[in-house]
Amino acid sequence: MPAATRGTEKKIEALRDKIRHHEYRYYVLDDPEISDAEFDQLMIELQKIESEHPNLITPDSPTQRVGGKPREGFVKAPHSSPMLSLDNTYNEDELRNWERRVHELNGREDIDYVCELKLDGMSLALHYENGKLVRGITRGDGTIGEDVTLNVRTVRSIPLSIPLDKLKKAGIPASFEVRGEMLMPIAAFRKMNEEREQKGLSVFANPRNATAGTVRQLEPSITAQRRLDYFTYALLKDGRNHFDRHWETLNALDAAGFKVNRTRKLASTFDQIWTFIEQEEPKRETLPYEIDGIVIKVDRRTLQQELGYTGKAPRWAIAYKYAARGGITGIEDILVQVGRTGKLTPVAALKPVPIGGTTVSRATLHNLDEIDRLGVKIGDWVEVERGGDVIPKVTRVIEDKDHPRGHKSFHMPERCPVCGGHVVRTEGEADHRCVNANCPAKLRETILHFASRGVMNIDGLGDALVTQLTDRKLVKNVADIYKLTKEDLFSLERMGDKSAQNVLDEIESSKKLPLERVIYGLGIRFVGERTAQFLAEHFGSMDALMKASEEELQEVNEVGPRIAQSIVEFFQEPKNRALVEQLQLLGLRLTGTRKQRGTKLAGKTFVLTGTLTHFTRDEAKKMIEDAGGRVSGSVSKKTDFVVAGDDAGSKLDKAKELGVKVIGEKEMREMLD
Ligand code: IVH
């Protein structure tokens, strides 16, 4: 190797170590030493050197967390030894009985226990070989899980590699397995749900479901954005606990750089265990993640082995589950809140009741279906629960002699309580929504979406500026962006002459963007980037789109009844039509070029699988779509053709199983010609 390359290699490795150290400070210890900007700078520097020397890129470089994609779903992977679950106890007596049995079974007096938080996520095994992360496996059925390595690699508190001398110092062999809990912090969970709601996708019920959904995501770059976290609690070698004591295991994992929960205690009596349980319960409220109890484990491995297992759970460990945080109170009224996406949520106004350390006076009823399901009326007594989703919810109506039923039924308003716009409920959906794009409740999000990169691309019109503009009523709808003057901007905080001019320039140049961006920017429910493109190509002008009927809209590629109805409802609202008129007067491009898609493959659904030799999947997809066909990601009875390239896997099997016609690349080309 030439000396110059050796020099660069050394420099790269030093930079990687520096970045790994700061990742550890930030993601494992929650105690950063440098600012985010300084950290980003180090990453940029590393990326730059690596792009100049691609031969020096290694899989464990901090730049390589996101890379590749599982080709077709996840592959099954066996566990080194069964991943067990835990038996649960729900009160002091049950726990006391367990502790007594442990004593009786092994006949000893002096037993040490380790108490840990029971983290509410999903368990996951990580395999390291020669200090390098090689595999991440979900629990699955306990014996066989799924290989989710590419997603696991994106979690920044999981080390991609650990220096062998560090492992040695911690008493850990070079090849080993850790087990622990993957979880989504509450803040990340809320943010993700907000974004999903904005896009018209279903929201996850709690952080645990969100974690499972994210770990089993087929697109690792999405997993990377969702900020999962991982705490370890077991260290195995060849499927067996490596250390003699569990307490030692936790400390060794800590020393090796894994994230180990700091809230843990070594106890030697039942009273000490119980004190820990009682101490930790109120602290749940302030933790950044969800826990649902405490796990108590016998510390010594020899005693663990003596105690053994019952069915799927060890006798040497048990979970003490905290009670769901709930209370009983009366519903004084049912109000309607309008969210940032225009969704109307019925909210119960409650007689204030203390639950889990806070006073609760509001609880969500989600939607009309939920009110019907619960049979709730104003004046009822109800049970209210606070779960992982933080906003308390009504879980059931109480009815007994002390809790008489209420009589007043709730009706969803026909007009939005914030702006008076029309309220609609799309068929087959649970939610009611305000369709007025200018509704103040939606305004901030609407503006941010409109200005964002993939839409009108107005750089500088970010969170802070939009908040000021909407708070001061300088922008009341997206058209107002184009009426802003330098004086308006100059009057805002932290806005100098130059930055004001930059924003105005950005706004001006956004006027040149094509019709599909404006359609996408309007924030019509279910109309994403792709649909907007199809609509622009099909209708060629905003005017024609506005006049289209549901039937006409359904002629457009990928537009079904749900999207068609949403578009019609949007343009039925006079406020939205007025908005489009204003955008036209302000000089935005509301016409484009019509592009008639071919009809050769109209109505036919294709699934692409395996490696194609003549074009990339994206190219093949585009060709099919241009000919009027549709490309789907999964095989079902509705699939017309599966195009199988080399090494086609599970999708090909599925096609055969369902009797779907399988064709090769050549036949696909013939169909297109
Ligand atoms: S020990 C044999 N420790 O709870 C030991 N599990 O209900 C099995 N969990 O599947 C696991 N926090 O996903 C252990 N500190 C902790 C835990 C924990 C959460 C989860 C884990 C397990 C489930 C059993």
Side-chain angles (χ1 to χ4, degrees):
M1 191 188 287
T5 313
R6 250 198 320 273
T8 315
E9 205 176 348
K10 267 195 162 162
K11 193 170 159 198
I12 286 191
E13 225 11 84
L15 191 50
R16 284 180 188 152
D17 279 345
K18 201 166 170 183
I19 292 174
R20 286 183 189 122
H21 168 76
H22 291 299
E23 275 187 328
Y24 173 72
R25 298 290 316 190
Y26 188 97
Y27 294 101
V28 177
L29 300 184
D30 293 326
D31 185 16
E33 290 172 337
I34 58 174
S35 70
D36 290 4
E38 284 168 307
F39 181 83
D40 290 346
Q41 209 43 53
L42 293 174
M43 279 296 266
I44 291 167
E45 199 181 324
L46 177 60
Q47 269 156 353
K48 184 167 171 284
I49 310 178
E50 284 185 344
S51 68
E52 286 158 5
H53 304 275
N55 55 322
L56 297 182
I57 299 177
T58 54
D60 67 338
S61 169
T63 58
Q64 305 299 305
R65 284 198 175 269
V66 184
K69 257 191 199 187
R71 276 259 312 274
E72 294 188 349
F74 298 108
V75 175
K76 297 251 181 288
H79 287 297
S80 59
S81 61
M83 277 185 93
L84 301 165
S85 63
L86 294 168
D87 283 334
N88 293 325
T89 54
Y90 296 92
N91 57 49
E92 192 180 340
D93 279 349
E94 284 176 18
L95 189 63
R96 215 179 262 284
N97 286 340
W98 172 78
E99 204 265 343
R100 196 173 299 130
R101 272 201 311 278
V102 169
H103 269 282
E104 286 167 7
L105 281 168
N106 74 76
R108 285 176 66 146
E109 282 300 307
D110 55 334
I111 298 177
D112 285 331
Y113 298 97
V114 178
C115 307
E116 295 167 24
L117 299 184
K118 186 166 189 310
L119 306 160
D120 201 3
M122 69 186 282
S123 49
L124 203 86
L126 304 179
H127 292 253
Y128 285 78
E129 280 169 19
N130 263 323
K132 300 220 171 7
L133 173 67
V134 291
R135 218 166 308 109
I137 313 176
T138 62
R139 179 173 183 277
D141 65 3
T143 310
I144 295 174
E146 283 180 321
D147 185 327
V148 289
T149 313
L150 292 173
N151 283 340
V152 160
R153 286 175 58 90
T154 69
V155 178
R156 308 277 277 266
S157 48
I158 296 179
L160 295 178
S161 65
I162 305 168
L164 295 182
D165 55 339
K166 192 170 181 180
L167 285 172
K168 198 166 172 203
K169 230 168 139 189
I172 300 177
S175 297
F176 61 96
E177 175 184 350
V178 295
R179 290 182 180 176
E181 198 80 353
M182 187 77 99
L183 55 82
M184 186 178 287
I186 296 167
F189 164 73
R190 282 198 215 154
K191 183 163 170 279
M192 183 187 84
N193 264 356
E194 254 171 46
E195 284 169 7
R196 287 181 67 86
E197 216 178 334
Q198 180 75 29
K199 290 185 188 144
L201 298 170
S202 61
V203 295
F204 286 102
N206 52 47
R208 182 176 5 94
N209 292 2
T211 306
T214 304
V215 165
R216 299 194 70 258
Q217 246 283 127
L218 282 168
E219 177 55 66
S221 61
I222 295 182
T223 313
Q225 290 161 17
R226 293 210 187 144
R227 299 269 171 257
L228 292 172
D229 211 346
Y230 183 75
F231 287 93
T232 51
Y233 48 66
L235 173 69
L236 284 74
K237 173 76 188 161
D238 302 323
R240 297 159 139 255
N241 278 341
H242 179 65
F243 287 101
D244 286 336
R245 284 174 174 266
H246 182 60
W247 189 251
E248 213 183 334
T249 302
L250 298 180
N251 292 338
L253 288 167
D254 221 345
F258 286 101
K259 193 161 183 168
V260 183
N261 205 286
R262 276 178 229 167
T263 309
R264 55 184 192 258
K265 185 187 162 76
L266 194 58
S268 51
T269 63
F270 180 80
D271 285 348
Q272 286 173 358
I273 296 174
W274 190 248
T275 307
F276 182 78
I277 289 174
E278 285 194 315
Q279 256 171 13
E280 294 310 316
E281 184 161 15
K283 294 195 205 153
R284 281 174 95 177
E285 306 306 323
T286 51
L287 286 175
Y289 44 80
E290 278 288 313
I291 62 166
D292 59 348
I294 299 292
V295 184
I296 303 107
K297 302 173 183 173
V298 168
D299 186 34
R300 273 182 192 277
R301 191 176 57 174
T302 45
L303 289 193
Q304 291 179 358
Q305 282 160 353
E306 279 173 33
L307 288 161
Y309 303 85
T310 60
K312 278 192 169 170
R315 275 202 204 91
W316 50 264
I318 197 136
Y320 175 85
K321 299 271 276 211
Y322 287 134
R325 289 162 291 183
I328 290 172
T329 188
I331 296 193
E332 294 182 327
D333 200 358
I334 296 180
L335 314 168
V336 173
Q337 247 174 27
V338 187
R340 287 195 279 172
T341 59
K343 179 184 160 195
L344 269 63
T345 305
V347 175
L350 306 167
K351 291 187 209 304
V353 54
I355 301 177
T358 49
T359 303
V360 173
S361 53
R362 292 253 191 286
T364 180
L365 285 157
H366 298 293
N367 52 47
L368 212 51
D369 284 355
E370 180 69 357
I371 291 183
D372 290 345
R373 191 182 71 81
L374 295 165
V376 168
K377 292 205 162 106
I378 298 165
D380 274 342
W381 289 89
V382 290
E383 188 177 72
V384 177
E385 228 173 67
R386 276 186 59 217
D389 31 19
V390 186
I391 305 163
K393 60 182 176 211
V394 174
T395 49
R396 94 191 149 93
V397 175
I398 312 279
E399 190 180 5
D400 56 35
K401 67 175 178 13
D402 300 326
H403 302 106
R405 291 295 311 264
H407 296 291
K408 200 169 159 202
S409 296
F410 167 79
H411 299 285
M412 198 55 100
E414 283 169 16
R415 293 282 180 163
C416 169
V418 176
C419 71
H422 286 281
V423 169
V424 300
R425 179 186 191 169
T426 309
E427 213 175 289
E429 274 197 34
D431 297 332
H432 286 71
R433 281 171 200 276
C434 165
V435 284
N436 173 12
N438 305 333
C439 175
K442 295 199 264 181
L443 188 61
R444 220 182 72 90
E445 283 303 305
T446 309
I447 306 285
L448 277 171
H449 166 72
F450 188 85
S452 65
R453 190 151 295 169
V455 192
M456 298 307 281
N457 203 17
I458 308 175
D459 217 19
L461 203 53
D463 232 359
L465 184 53
V466 171
T467 305
Q468 289 196 65
L469 290 171
T470 51
D471 283 356
R472 297 193 189 192
K473 309 227 172 342
L474 285 168
V475 169
K476 295 196 268 324
N477 60 36
V478 290
D480 285 347
I481 297 174
Y482 295 93
K483 297 179 194 159
L484 286 171
T485 63
K486 205 163 185 178
E487 289 68 45
D488 289 336
L489 292 172
F490 212 47
S491 70
L492 304 174
E493 280 164 33
R494 273 174 292 170
M495 184 58 78
D497 187 63
K498 193 154 174 274
S499 16
Q501 190 54 52
N502 283 345
V503 173
L504 287 179
D505 292 346
E506 286 283 335
I507 293 174
E508 190 56 33
S509 50
S510 78
K511 290 183 183 171
K512 297 188 203 91
L513 288 174
L515 172 64
E516 60 262 28
R517 298 284 191 113
V518 187
I519 297 176
Y520 181 32
L522 290 175
I524 307 169
R525 215 162 118 70
F526 307 130
V527 176
E529 196 173 354
R530 235 171 106 75
T531 310
Q533 169 108 34
F534 289 141
L535 290 168
E537 285 174 3
H538 186 94
F539 291 105
S541 74
M542 189 70 92
D543 202 38
L545 173 64
M546 273 166 59
K547 288 188 186 133
S549 65
E550 280 188 38
E551 292 70 39
E552 285 162 345
L553 284 161
Q554 287 190 51
E555 285 168 18
V556 179
N557 197 21
E558 295 189 13
V559 174
R562 190 179 70 139
I563 303 179
Q565 190 189 349
S566 162
I567 297 170
V568 166
E569 275 167 4
F570 183 89
F571 288 119
Q572 263 167 3
E573 171 63 50
K575 293 187 173 95
N576 295 343
R577 285 205 300 276
L579 174 73
V580 171
E581 217 166 275
Q582 278 198 54
L583 290 174
Q584 172 118 51
L585 291 172
L586 289 161
L588 275 80
R589 283 170 71 160
L590 301 190
T591 53
T593 26
R594 281 186 72 169
K595 180 173 155 196
Q596 218 51 51
R597 277 173 195 276
T599 49
K600 240 181 197 158
L601 302 183
K604 298 281 181 250
T605 301
F606 290 72
V607 171
L608 305 171
T609 179
T611 314
L612 305 177
T613 32
H614 289 90
F615 10 71
T616 64
R617 276 206 197 175
D618 282 344
E619 282 164 355
K621 191 166 179 219
K622 189 164 180 310
M623 285 158 67
I624 293 172
E625 284 169 355
D626 284 347
R630 215 178 86 81
V631 177
S632 161
S634 57
V635 182
S636 74
K637 281 190 201 138
K638 289 189 189 151
T639 312
D640 293 292
F641 300 99
V642 167
V643 182
D646 292 341
D647 297 331
S650 59
K651 289 185 192 171
L652 181 57
D653 299 339
K654 183 92 190 272
K656 287 181 184 154
E657 190 188 312
L658 295 176
V660 173
K661 191 165 166 53
V662 177
I663 59 172
E665 204 172 331
K666 191 163 155 262
E667 286 159 286
M668 180 189 86
R669 288 226 313 267
E670 282 164 10
M671 286 169 91
L672 288 163
D673 277 344

